[in-house]
Amino acid sequence: MITRIFRNIVLTAGLGLAPATTAHAIVGGGVPSADGIGRNVVTIVGSRGNFCSGTMIAPSIVLTAAHCVQSGATYKIVEYDAQRTPQLRDIAQIAAHPQFNLQTMLAHRATADVALLRLASPLAAARQPPPIGTPRVPITVGGRFTVAGIGVTLRGDGKSGGVVRAASLAATGKPGNLQIRLVDPLADGKREGLGACTGDSGGPVFEDQQGRAILIGVMSWSTGPNGTAGCGGMTGVTPLSLYRDWILQTARGWGAAL
């Protein structure tokens, strides 16, 4: 029965795409190179019907957002074979940061919205994991970051998701080591633009540092223009500044060499 539920989630949108639910595609984003930052982005599906993005940081370890893997549900990773047929991979262990608070995240305030998943077996596809770091300091308004995820490009339309997309966004407000708020620099969050949407939660946020794409955060939430409900306005990021050590220690405790 559980397997049937998961396969319905994966197949609802056809070709292995997941349906739109409450998780927070890069609306309007481009499809990154398979050899670039998109190569490590994976789909996480839950038995309650939610789906999120994650990043392979080791052959058996996925980094995602803590709110994507709440207790009371079962989660799996979607892997695609050479024919693009989705295969469900079991997750053996989940660790959410102990300081994560769901209500704080839902209020778009800073919290430890990071989690790690340990797969029961490594993914077959060889991946070179991205280097894990922290944002350059000070984080300045207008600073550029690249986000990537598998979410929908049209809110409410699950068939528009399932493909890794990426976009370059700019920091706004008062960015710091607790939270970074990003907007499409052309729309400034006041009208629809590039940004996270349903299914992008937990997806990676990169910063170019000396010519290298460094994984510095995960996507936590999104809004529509002017703070309305929806997508394409503002994208909330949990930077890894305070959590990088926990990530490394937890992964190493599971036997992963990062």
Side-chain angles (χ1 to χ4, degrees):
M1 180 63 178
I2 290 294
T3 299
R4 181 178 298 174
I5 291 173
F6 277 116
R7 291 200 180 278
N8 286 342
I9 293 170
V10 174
L11 296 173
T12 292
L15 295 177
L17 309 187
T21 53
T22 55
H24 283 297
I26 307 301
V27 175
V31 178
S33 166
D35 296 326
I37 62 173
R39 69 179 179 271
N40 294 290
V41 178
V42 296
T43 303
I44 302 165
V45 293
S47 57
R48 289 176 173 170
N50 65 302
F51 77 113
C52 279
S53 300
T55 309
M56 296 298 304
I57 60 173
S60 297
I61 307 293
V62 177
L63 172 67
T64 188
H67 78 266
C68 288
V69 286
Q70 292 293 288
S71 59
T74 304
Y75 301 93
K76 292 182 182 291
I77 296 295
V78 182
E79 184 179 25
Y80 298 95
D81 62 19
Q83 288 72 43
R84 293 296 296 167
T85 302
Q87 308 292 328
L88 293 168
R89 303 296 301 272
D90 290 335
I91 294 172
Q93 203 166 354
I94 297 175
H97 196 283
Q99 296 178 356
F100 170 67
N101 184 291
L102 179 61
Q103 296 306 313
T104 299
M105 188 281 301
L106 292 175
H108 297 170
R109 298 198 304 270
T111 188
D113 192 18
V114 294
L116 291 179
L117 315 178
R118 182 175 68 83
L119 304 185
S121 59
L123 290 187
R127 290 175 168 88
Q128 180 181 353
I132 301 174
T134 60
R136 288 190 300 257
V137 291
I139 306 170
T140 59
V141 172
R144 300 300 285 264
F145 299 87
T146 300
V147 298
I150 54 81
V152 302
T153 59
L154 180 63
R155 190 184 183 202
D157 181 7
K159 293 183 179 181
S160 68
V163 175
V164 179
R165 292 180 172 86
S168 177
L169 304 177
T172 189
K174 297 180 179 179
N177 61 3
L178 293 175
Q179 190 176 79
I180 304 173
R181 299 184 175 204
L182 303 178
V183 294
D184 182 336
L186 298 179
D188 198 30
K190 298 175 182 176
R191 62 184 188 276
E192 284 196 6
L194 301 175
C197 199
T198 305
D200 283 323
S201 280
V205 181
F206 296 94
E207 183 180 36
D208 183 88
Q209 297 181 7
Q210 298 181 332
R212 300 175 70 204
I214 306 298
L215 175 59
I216 60 87
V218 299
M219 287 181 280
S220 288
W221 51 265
S222 69
T223 72
N226 297 309
T228 59
C231 314
M234 186 175 290
T235 298
V237 172
T238 299
L240 303 182
S241 306
L242 302 179
Y243 315 120
R244 183 176 181 272
D245 288 346
W246 176 85
I247 291 168
L248 297 179
Q249 291 170 9
T250 302
R252 287 167 182 165
W254 288 346
L258 300 182

Coordinates of all heavy atoms in Angstrom, one line a residue, residues 26-30 166-169 182-185 187 192-196 232-235:
I26 N 11.5 26.5 -9.8 CA 12.1 27.8 -10.0 C 11.2 28.4 -11.1 O 11.4 28.1 -12.2 CB 13.5 27.8 -10.4 CG1 14.3 27.0 -9.3 CG2 14.1 29.2 -10.5 CD1 14.2 27.5 -7.9
V27 N 10.3 29.3 -10.7 CA 9.4 29.9 -11.7 C 10.2 30.7 -12.7 O 10.9 31.6 -12.4 CB 8.3 30.8 -11.0 CG1 7.5 31.5 -12.0 CG2 7.5 29.9 -10.0
G28 N 10.1 30.3 -14.0 CA 10.8 31.0 -15.0 C 12.2 30.6 -15.1 O 12.9 31.2 -16.0
G29 N 12.7 29.7 -14.3 CA 14.1 29.4 -14.3 C 14.6 28.6 -15.5 O 13.8 27.9 -16.1
G30 N 15.9 28.6 -15.8 CA 16.4 27.9 -16.9 C 16.8 26.5 -16.4 O 17.0 26.2 -15.2
A166 N 17.1 26.2 -12.5 CA 17.9 27.1 -11.7 C 17.7 28.6 -12.1 O 17.2 28.9 -13.2 CB 19.4 26.7 -11.9
A167 N 18.0 29.4 -11.1 CA 17.8 30.9 -11.4 C 18.8 31.6 -10.5 O 19.2 31.2 -9.4 CB 16.4 31.3 -11.1
S168 N 19.3 32.8 -11.0 CA 20.1 33.7 -10.3 C 19.3 34.7 -9.6 O 18.5 35.5 -10.3 CB 21.1 34.3 -11.2 OG 21.9 35.3 -10.5
L169 N 19.4 34.8 -8.3 CA 18.6 35.8 -7.5 C 19.5 36.7 -6.7 O 20.7 36.4 -6.5 CB 17.6 35.0 -6.6 CG 16.7 34.0 -7.2 CD1 15.8 33.3 -6.2 CD2 15.8 34.7 -8.2
L182 N 15.8 36.4 -0.9 CA 16.2 36.6 -2.3 C 15.1 37.0 -3.2 O 13.9 36.6 -3.0 CB 16.9 35.3 -2.9 CG 18.1 34.7 -2.1 CD1 18.5 33.4 -2.8 CD2 19.2 35.7 -2.1
V183 N 15.4 37.8 -4.2 CA 14.3 38.2 -5.1 C 15.0 38.2 -6.5 O 16.2 38.3 -6.7 CB 13.8 39.7 -4.8 CG1 13.0 39.7 -3.5 CG2 14.9 40.7 -4.8
D184 N 14.1 38.2 -7.5 CA 14.5 38.4 -8.9 C 14.9 39.9 -9.0 O 14.1 40.8 -8.7 CB 13.3 38.1 -9.8 CG 13.6 38.3 -11.3 OD1 14.6 39.0 -11.6 OD2 12.9 37.7 -12.1
P185 N 16.2 40.1 -9.4 CA 16.6 41.5 -9.4 C 15.9 42.4 -10.4 O 15.9 43.6 -10.2 CB 18.1 41.4 -9.8 CG 18.2 40.1 -10.4 CD 17.2 39.2 -9.8
A187 N 12.5 42.1 -10.8 CA 11.2 42.3 -10.3 C 11.2 42.9 -8.9 O 10.2 43.4 -8.4 CB 10.4 41.0 -10.4
E192 N 5.7 39.5 -10.3 CA 6.1 38.2 -10.5 C 7.4 38.1 -11.2 O 7.6 38.8 -12.2 CB 5.0 37.4 -11.2 CG 3.8 37.0 -10.4 CD 3.0 35.9 -11.0 OE1 3.4 35.4 -12.1 OE2 1.9 35.6 -10.5
G193 N 8.3 37.2 -10.7 CA 9.6 37.1 -11.3 C 10.1 35.7 -11.0 O 9.3 34.7 -10.7
L194 N 11.4 35.5 -11.1 CA 12.0 34.2 -10.8 C 11.9 34.0 -9.3 O 12.0 34.9 -8.5 CB 13.5 34.2 -11.2 CG 13.8 34.4 -12.7 CD1 15.3 34.5 -12.9 CD2 13.2 33.3 -13.6
G195 N 11.8 32.7 -8.9 CA 11.8 32.4 -7.5 C 11.3 31.0 -7.2 O 10.8 30.3 -8.1
A196 N 11.4 30.6 -6.0 CA 11.1 29.2 -5.6 C 9.6 29.1 -5.6 O 8.8 30.0 -5.4 CB 11.6 28.9 -4.2
G232 N 7.2 33.3 -6.9 CA 7.7 34.3 -7.8 C 7.9 35.7 -7.2 O 8.2 36.7 -7.9
G233 N 7.8 35.8 -5.8 CA 8.1 37.1 -5.2 C 9.4 37.0 -4.4 O 10.4 37.5 -4.9
M234 N 9.4 36.4 -3.2 CA 10.6 36.3 -2.4 C 10.9 34.8 -2.1 O 10.0 34.0 -1.9 CB 10.4 37.1 -1.1 CG 11.6 37.2 -0.2 SD 11.3 38.2 1.2 CE 11.2 39.8 0.4
T235 N 12.2 34.5 -2.0 CA 12.6 33.2 -1.7 C 13.4 33.2 -0.4 O 14.4 33.9 -0.3 CB 13.5 32.6 -2.8 OG1 12.7 32.4 -4.0 CG2 14.0 31.2 -2.5

